């Protein structure tokens, strides 16, 4: 081919390529993920590159319409949504032009909506994303997580009797779309923080005169400002945020406790002085008077400064208690003194707050520990004991803790028995009967009882932990169907379908299913001993201790035989 012919051919190819729609090289919608939470439903749109979008809403019926420019679809639609009170379905629709893709969100009602873009995560877990937050409307404060037998009493009413509960807000860091730090074996911080938080809540709820509130109870994201708001609406006396640290090197190990630094406190005070509505909420009645009748910012700033100073001081005391208890329980420390930091979750002037880093998930050893039940129990007990010790020394006015050692009056309500009342106050049926000269355990509604005061230190009981779960991956084998798999893992078929977004019961050979199972219901794991293997090597392989391996198999010695089958206990 001569030069002129080659040039003509090149120009022809260029002309043909110019006629091809640009969408062939444009952005791609790779997946949609839905995260319902108590207050909002978050939809995450995973994209190949940064989103260029526009949106509008329609009424009768309510819909959100999102146009993605120069974008093609690489996932299945429509997507029927379950578990959300506001979002019913996400489907495609006719776009305004050939270079756009239109998504329609079918809504149950008119509700606040927010859209924003997120850049790829540094670890490569997520790429470009467009996030749609759909508010549920009329959000309420998160209810307290308490033991089933614990009688719920209005704090305002019980304060008059001196029997109010001390409320501790526990904030499990990250969640949902935000995995937090990711360990060497791809374990997520968000799962460890939730498990530990639930254990701490269970310990606290087992103590008479204390009640726990969780800022989140499942795998969903809660806005940082919302976390403090949940604590405030539940009238918490303390906020403890639980996290796991990370570093670019795997070497650092150990826990730390952070408290708010003065610079961040001063910044927040200046902002709140400008916001009368929030100021009145934080300062109670005094703030409301200032907001309505006083324009003197200096007075407002002084009051907030006093609040913040008190919260910082008390937060530091709590931090010292936590570090001491962690050390005594055998938990390695990275920092032996509280660390000052500018962290959003610590910014409440009215609630003493601390952030606990339970260890470094970036360290292989601590990543394994953070997901071991025994280590989580150790951390939870250390946190619960330190919180109890702090409130024993600093009991809030009007609480049961503040009236320890004093006789308390109790009015019997419907359904209450002597044993229930005794448990509520940390007393015994015998002591109550003696104090009230009762000849039988029978009670009448409205009867007034004297509850004898207890002078002994509060003991943190070893409470039973909530049901723990783990997400496993099941590969479909020949002859398996949904019902058979569900029976194997003791979960409903509907749960497997929802977790894997299955539209039918048909499965493919080799298909991977994510299944959330109770740890106690996991099928037994077995290991056949190979040549050259010993107990320590096998224990390390499965992330368990040699002692647990011995006990699970009733081994009287560490000698193993080639071909011997061992039962591997779950973490």
């Amino acid at each position: 081919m001569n030069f002129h012919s080659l040039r003509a051919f090149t120009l022809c190819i260029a002309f043909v390529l110019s006629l091809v729609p640009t969408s062939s090289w444009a952005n791609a919608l790779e997946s949609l993920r839905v995260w319902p939470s108590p207050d909002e439903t978050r939809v995450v749109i995973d994209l190949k590159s940064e989103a260029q979008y526009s949106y509008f809403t329609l009424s009768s019926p309510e819909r959100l319409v999102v146009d993605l420019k120069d974008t093609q679809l690489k996932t299945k639609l429509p997507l029927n949504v379950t578990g959300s009170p506001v979002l019913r379905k996400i489907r495609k629709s006719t776009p305004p032009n050939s270079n756009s893709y239109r998504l329609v969100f079918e809504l149950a009602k008119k509700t606040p909506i927010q859209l924003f873009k997120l850049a790829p995560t540094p670890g490569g877990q997520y790429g470009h994303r467009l996030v749609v937050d759909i508010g549920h409307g009329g959000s309420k404060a998160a209810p307290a997580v308490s033991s089933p037998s614990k009688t719920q009493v209005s704090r305002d009413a019980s304060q008059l009797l001196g029997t109010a509960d001390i409320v501790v807000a526990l904030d499990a860091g990250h969640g949902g779309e935000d995995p937090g730090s990711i360990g060497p074996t791809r374990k997520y911080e968000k799962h460890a923080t939730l498990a530990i938080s639930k254990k701490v809540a269970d310990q606290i709820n087992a103590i008479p005169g204390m009640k726990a509130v969780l800022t989140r109870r499942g795998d969903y994201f809660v806005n940082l400002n919302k976390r403090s708001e949940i604590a405030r609406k539940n009238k918490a006396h303390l906020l403890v945020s639980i996290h796991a640290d990370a570093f670019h090197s795997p070497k650092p190990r150990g826990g730390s406790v952070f408290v708010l630094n003065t610079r961040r406190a001063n910044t927040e005070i200046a902002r709140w002085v400008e916001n009368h509505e929030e100021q009145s909420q934080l300062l109670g009645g005094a703030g409301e008077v200032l907001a309505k009748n006083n324009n003197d910012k200096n007075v407002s700033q002084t009051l907030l400064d006093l609040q913040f100073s008190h919260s910082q001081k008390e937060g530091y005391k709590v931090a010292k208690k936590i570090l001491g208890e962690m050390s005594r329980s055998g938990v390695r420390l990275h920092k032996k003194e509280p660390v000052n930091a500018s962290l959003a979750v610590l910014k409440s002037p009215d609630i003493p707050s601390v952030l606990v880093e339970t260890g470094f998930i970036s360290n292989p050893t601590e990543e394994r520990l953070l997901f071991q039940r025994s280590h989580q129990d150790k951390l939870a007990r250390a946190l619960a004991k330190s919180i109890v010790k702090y409130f024993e020394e600093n009991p809030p006015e009007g609480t049961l803790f503040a009236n320890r050692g004093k006789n308390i009056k109790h009015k019997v309500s419907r359904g209450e028995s002597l044993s229930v009342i005794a448990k509520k106050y940390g007393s015994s049926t015998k002591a109550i009967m003696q104090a009230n000269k009762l000849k039988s355990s029978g009670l009448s509604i409205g009867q007034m009882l004297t509850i004898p005061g207890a002078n002994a230190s509060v003991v943190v009981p070893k409470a039973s932990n909530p049901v723990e779960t783990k997400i496993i991956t099941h590969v479909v084998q020949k002859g398996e169907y949904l019902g058979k798999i569900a029976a194997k893992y003791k979960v409903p078929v509907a749960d497997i379908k929802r977790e894997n977004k299955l539209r039918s019961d048909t499965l493919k050979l080799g298909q991977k299913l994510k299944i959330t199972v109770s740890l106690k219901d996991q099928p037994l794991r077995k290991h056949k001993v190979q040549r050259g293997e010993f107990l320590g090597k096998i224990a390390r392989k499965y992330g368990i201790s040699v002692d647990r391996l011995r006990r699970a198999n009733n081994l009287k010695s560490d000698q193993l035989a080639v071909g011997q089958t061992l039962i591997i206990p779950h973490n």
Side-chain angles (χ1 to χ4, degrees):
M1 185 181 290
N2 60 35
F3 172 77
H4 292 292
S5 298
L6 180 62
R7 186 171 182 273
F9 178 75
T10 304
L11 289 171
C12 182
I13 291 296
F15 175 72
V16 171
L17 289 175
S18 70
L19 298 176
V20 177
T22 56
S23 58
S24 299
W25 297 277
N27 207 347
L29 194 165
E30 296 177 331
S31 67
L32 289 122
R33 292 173 287 131
V34 181
W35 302 89
S37 75
D39 298 312
E40 65 183 15
T41 295
R42 169 165 287 191
V43 180
V44 182
I45 304 170
D46 292 301
L47 297 157
K48 185 179 178 182
S49 56
E50 186 178 353
Q52 301 299 323
Y53 69 98
S54 60
Y55 69 96
F56 58 93
T57 57
L58 297 171
S59 301
S60 301
E62 297 294 333
R63 286 153 292 165
L64 166 68
V65 180
V66 179
D67 289 329
L68 298 168
K69 298 176 183 177
D70 297 328
T71 302
Q72 58 180 321
L73 181 69
K74 284 193 176 179
T75 188
K76 291 182 180 179
L77 286 177
L79 175 64
N80 292 312
V81 178
T82 57
S84 170
V86 291
L87 180 60
R88 290 171 174 167
K89 181 191 286 188
I90 304 173
R91 59 177 172 83
K92 62 182 179 180
S93 185
T94 306
N97 55 63
S98 58
N99 291 333
S100 295
Y101 193 86
R102 174 163 285 181
L103 291 173
V104 177
F105 295 70
E106 294 186 1
L107 307 174
K109 60 181 180 179
K110 189 173 183 178
T111 184
I113 297 169
Q114 184 181 8
L115 286 82
F116 56 92
K117 294 185 282 189
L118 289 177
T121 53
Q125 173 62 25
Y126 297 119
H128 288 279
R129 290 152 291 164
L130 176 62
V131 178
V132 183
D133 280 341
I134 306 170
H136 292 172
S139 62
K140 297 178 181 178
V145 178
S146 55
S147 52
S149 60
K150 191 160 186 172
T151 307
Q152 298 296 311
V153 181
S154 165
R155 182 179 166 201
D156 293 334
S158 57
Q159 273 184 323
L160 300 174
L161 298 172
T163 61
D165 285 331
I166 290 172
V167 181
V168 180
L170 298 166
D171 172 48
H174 308 283
E177 169 63 9
D178 176 12
S181 298
I182 302 171
T185 65
R186 311 302 294 171
K187 286 187 171 67
Y188 293 171
E189 178 186 356
K190 65 176 182 178
H191 296 315
T193 61
L194 183 61
I196 295 167
S197 296
K198 284 183 175 180
K199 288 172 184 284
V200 179
D202 199 51
Q203 295 269 310
I204 287 173
N205 282 323
I207 299 166
M210 295 192 78
K211 182 170 67 176
V213 172
L214 286 169
T215 61
R216 70 176 177 97
R217 300 167 204 75
D219 187 15
Y220 51 83
F221 180 75
V222 179
N223 183 282
L224 291 176
N225 291 328
K226 192 75 177 175
R227 294 169 192 252
S228 297
E229 185 183 323
I230 291 169
R232 185 171 296 113
K233 285 187 177 179
N234 282 281
K235 300 181 180 177
H237 297 90
L238 175 68
L239 171 62
V240 180
S241 189
I242 297 174
H243 288 254
D245 218 334
F247 195 63
H248 57 77
S249 162
K251 290 183 180 180
R253 293 185 62 181
S256 306
V257 183
F258 290 81
V259 292
L260 188 65
N261 66 20
T262 305
R263 183 177 177 183
R264 179 62 182 261
N266 290 338
T267 302
E268 294 299 334
I269 288 169
R271 185 176 66 81
W272 275 319
V273 167
E274 298 297 330
N275 188 333
H276 283 173
E277 183 181 352
E278 190 167 13
Q279 172 187 305
S280 95
Q281 185 183 28
L282 297 172
L283 291 174
E288 195 170 331
V289 172
L290 282 169
K292 291 179 179 178
N293 304 315
N294 198 321
N295 293 320
D296 189 346
K297 291 183 180 179
N298 291 329
V299 176
S300 300
Q301 184 147 346
T302 300
L303 284 172
L304 279 166
D305 191 33
L306 288 170
Q307 281 262 30
F308 238 131
S309 178
H310 172 74
S311 289
Q312 282 183 290
K313 184 176 70 176
E314 297 307 305
Y316 191 86
K317 287 182 187 177
V318 176
K320 289 282 287 184
K321 294 283 185 193
I322 291 173
L323 288 167
E325 202 58 52
M326 286 172 73
S327 179
R328 279 189 289 276
S329 65
V331 176
R332 180 192 285 258
L333 295 180
H334 181 64
K335 299 285 187 182
K336 295 183 179 180
E337 293 293 326
V339 182
N340 290 294
S342 180
L343 300 168
V345 79
L346 301 175
K347 70 183 184 181
S348 296
D350 53 332
I351 307 172
S353 307
V354 297
L355 186 146
V356 181
E357 296 282 11
T358 52
F360 277 81
I361 198 172
S362 52
N363 177 282
T365 301
E366 291 204 334
E367 180 198 32
R368 177 172 56 81
L369 286 172
L370 286 169
F371 288 87
Q372 274 187 1
R373 278 184 292 171
S374 58
H375 188 72
Q376 289 178 352
D377 289 341
K378 184 190 290 186
L379 284 166
R381 191 160 177 79
L383 287 171
K385 286 175 76 173
S386 55
I387 291 167
V388 168
K389 284 181 180 178
Y390 165 76
F391 281 116
E392 275 192 295
E393 295 174 11
N394 305 274
E397 187 180 354
T399 62
L400 187 61
F401 266 49
N403 287 286
R404 289 185 61 80
K406 302 175 185 176
N407 288 343
I408 295 170
K409 294 294 183 181
H410 176 85
K411 190 175 183 179
V412 179
S413 300
R414 185 180 299 278
E416 284 187 326
S417 62
L418 268 180
S419 59
V420 168
I421 296 168
K423 186 175 181 180
K424 171 181 170 57
Y425 293 105
S427 185
S428 66
T429 54
K430 184 179 179 180
I432 295 175
M433 288 182 73
Q434 287 178 345
N436 293 275
K437 299 178 180 178
L438 300 177
K439 295 180 180 178
S440 74
S441 59
L443 299 174
S444 56
I445 297 171
Q447 183 178 349
M448 292 299 297
L449 295 176
T450 297
I451 311 297
N455 289 304
S457 295
V458 178
V459 177
V460 180
K462 289 189 176 180
S464 58
N465 289 314
V467 176
E468 298 171 80
T469 60
K470 180 180 180 181
I471 298 175
I472 62 152
T473 301
H474 176 87
V475 181
V476 178
Q477 306 295 317
K478 189 175 181 179
E480 286 188 325
Y481 52 92
L482 271 179
K484 185 176 181 180
I485 296 169
K488 179 180 180 179
Y489 294 105
K490 298 181 182 179
V491 297
V493 170
D495 286 0
I496 298 177
K497 290 182 73 174
R498 181 173 62 252
E499 196 163 1
N500 295 275
K501 299 177 181 177
L502 301 178
R503 295 185 178 86
S504 72
D505 292 351
T506 306
L507 299 176
K508 295 178 183 177
L509 189 65
Q511 183 176 352
K512 292 182 178 180
L513 298 174
K514 288 183 178 180
I515 305 174
T516 300
V517 298
S518 168
L519 290 180
K520 64 183 178 62
D521 290 334
Q522 286 187 84
L524 279 177
R525 296 187 295 178
K526 294 182 180 180
H527 177 87
K528 194 171 184 179
V529 179
Q530 306 295 316
R531 187 176 301 279
E533 287 187 325
F534 51 92
L535 274 183
K537 185 176 181 180
I538 296 168
R540 283 196 301 273
K541 178 179 179 180
Y542 292 99
I544 58 173
S545 67
V546 172
D547 185 56
R548 289 198 68 207
L549 195 54
R550 282 197 203 101
R551 283 188 280 114
N553 292 275
N554 296 316
L555 298 177
K556 295 179 181 176
S557 77
D558 290 358
Q559 296 297 316
L560 299 176
V562 175
Q564 181 179 349
T565 300
L566 297 175
I567 292 172
I568 309 298
H570 292 287
N571 288 338

